[in-house]
Amino acid sequence: MSTAKVINFPVGGKKVADLDDGYTRIANDLYDALIAADLTKHQQKVAHAYVRMTYGYNKKNDRIADDQIAVKTKLPRCKVNTAKNELLDMKVLILDGRKIGVNKNISEWNINKSYQNSNSIQNGNTVTKTVTKNVTKTVITLLPKTEHTKDIISKDNKDNNILLDSAFEIFYKAGLPKVGKSKAITSFKTAYKNWKSENKTPEVFAQMLVSDIQCRLKANIFGFANLHPTTYLNQKRWEDELPANARRPQPQMTPEQKREYELYMFMQGEN
């Protein structure tokens, strides 16, 4: 006769917290200040999540993506990003390179009452112009300046066009015939807009195209050397299969380009 093993499952999903499962060690003064701070609900949740993700692992700061905080707080990623930028502006959170953590210097905290009005947030995907402007200043102060740093973080259309125009010039000199420049610029901007879901800067996009064009030119693909830039962009020719004798080199970013890319990624919440 066979016997069956009886498994007893816990009833009601009861869960009891235990120090043996881990704990967060934090200075009482810092935690008291966080409790007393007049923050919004989202700001409080995000601030406590950063405490958990840093001090909970015996670290004062760490590289933490918005997605990680979203999991902890059960908030949408866009709202996490908004609250994070507000807390950075108020100096409740501070940056150390790309690492982020709670500011232990409580006297530096500057709780801004204007954030308490939920109407100051235009929608779930963007922060107010005030937040963007102030956080931009914070990042520029903490990180060494590069030629395009201000352009990268600014949401202003003029600055975005400067970045796109600069990147287009890189693409335009790749080796294709220099014809139809005005149409090519429009096509380049459209192509980047459709491609940038990969969270890359315009310059990285241009370098990728240059690498592809030079690879195809070197392979002597029939008719490619006479291809107009606009046609190349509109037809997404970089997605065409390469011949067997062609090998696309991996584009290498300069230290300055790498830094701009990392800063761009941070402002998008991709740490």
Side-chain angles (χ1 to χ4, degrees), residues 15-185:
K15 184 177 181 179
V16 179
D18 194 318
L19 287 175
D20 290 339
D21 296 326
Y23 60 92
T24 299
R25 185 170 177 265
I26 181 174
N28 286 337
D29 286 343
L30 180 58
Y31 199 50
D32 287 343
L34 196 57
I35 293 171
D38 190 13
L39 302 173
T40 66
K41 179 181 178 181
H42 290 173
Q43 291 166 356
Q44 278 282 2
K45 293 183 74 171
V46 169
H48 279 83
Y50 277 109
V51 169
R52 173 66 180 85
M53 298 294 288
T54 53
Y55 288 101
Y57 295 94
N58 294 318
K59 299 178 180 180
K60 66 177 183 178
N61 56 34
D62 203 355
R63 292 176 59 167
I64 304 169
D66 289 355
D67 288 335
Q68 294 174 269
I69 300 298
V71 171
K72 283 288 184 186
T73 59
K74 294 181 171 57
L75 291 173
R77 180 181 175 277
C78 59
K79 294 188 182 298
V80 167
N81 187 264
T82 296
K84 176 189 75 176
N85 287 332
E86 291 171 347
L87 291 166
L88 281 169
D89 179 40
M90 294 186 288
K91 293 184 171 53
V92 176
L93 297 178
I94 54 173
L95 296 173
D96 181 9
R98 290 189 67 200
K99 293 183 178 181
I100 188 170
V102 180
N103 186 4
K104 295 191 298 181
N105 192 344
I106 303 167
S107 61
E108 292 181 350
W109 292 14
N110 181 24
I111 308 301
N112 193 328
K113 299 291 184 181
S114 66
Y115 296 140
Q116 311 309 313
N117 182 2
S118 60
N119 292 328
S120 66
I121 305 301
Q122 295 175 351
N123 57 58
N125 295 317
T126 59
V127 296
T128 61
K129 292 181 179 179
T130 301
V131 175
T132 303
K133 182 178 180 180
N134 290 340
V135 173
T136 296
K137 290 180 179 179
T138 301
V139 174
I140 292 175
T141 300
L142 291 170
L143 299 175
K145 293 182 180 179
T146 60
E147 183 179 357
H148 298 302
T149 298
K150 184 177 181 180
D151 297 334
I152 294 289
I153 27 184
S154 174
K155 302 301 181 184
D156 184 83
N157 288 334
K158 181 179 178 181
D159 290 336
N160 287 336
N161 284 331
I162 291 173
L163 279 176
L164 286 166
D165 290 343
S166 175
F168 171 78
E169 291 300 326
I170 295 173
F171 158 77
Y172 198 60
K173 298 174 183 177
L176 294 178
K178 294 183 178 181
V179 294
K181 187 172 183 179
S182 60
K183 291 183 178 179
I185 290 176

Side-chain angles (χ1 to χ4, degrees), residues 195 204-219 221 224 232 236-252:
W195 180 86
V204 173
F205 177 58
Q207 293 288 3
M208 182 273 291
L209 298 182
V210 169
S211 175
D212 177 76
I213 290 170
Q214 293 178 349
C215 174
R216 295 177 190 277
L217 289 173
K218 188 175 181 180
I221 298 175
F224 188 81
Y232 174 86
K236 297 183 178 180
R237 297 297 293 272
W238 63 89
E239 295 181 352
D240 290 354
E241 185 176 353
L242 287 169
N245 65 328
R247 182 179 180 184
R248 182 185 292 122
Q250 293 296 321
Q252 298 294 321

